[in-house]
Amino acid sequence: MVVAIKPAATEIQVLETFEPLEIARDRCKGCGLCVDACPKHVLALNTAIVNELGYHPVRLTDAAACTSCALCARVCPDAVFAVYARPRSG
């Protein structure tokens, strides 16, 4: 006998958004090497802010399109990226 349990109507599922990159914006010098290296074109300099060093830091524009290839981290002279792989489903 198989019994299926239906979740209660009051149960709320919280879906966390996966962020493939952690960027140390305070150390970014805005050189743009990572922007040019990104094959998916999901990095851009954030012209809306200036960090403590006086530069426009890089930002991730589309987390869902990022493949965690780590090319940005490879070319970055200031090591501002921490790259995370997507969790495997199932």
Side-chain angles (χ1 to χ4, degrees):
M1 180 173 161
V2 177
V3 177
I5 300 173
K6 185 176 177 182
T10 58
E11 188 175 320
I12 299 172
Q13 289 184 343
V14 178
L15 300 176
E16 292 185 27
T17 304
F18 175 72
E19 288 291 329
L21 296 179
E22 187 176 317
I23 303 169
R25 290 175 183 85
D26 58 327
R27 292 196 325 257
C28 180
K29 293 183 184 163
C31 67
L33 291 173
C34 58
V35 175
D36 294 337
C38 181
K40 296 295 182 178
H41 308 289
V42 296
L43 295 174
L45 295 181
N46 188 351
T47 57
I49 63 170
V50 175
N51 65 13
E52 293 177 4
L53 299 174
Y55 300 103
H56 296 292
V58 70
R59 67 182 175 94
L60 180 62
T61 60
D62 186 1
C66 178
T67 61
S68 300
C69 70
L71 287 175
C72 55
R74 287 179 165 179
V75 300
C76 180
D78 299 306
V80 302
F81 295 98
V83 182
Y84 301 103
R86 287 195 186 280
R88 294 182 183 185
S89 59

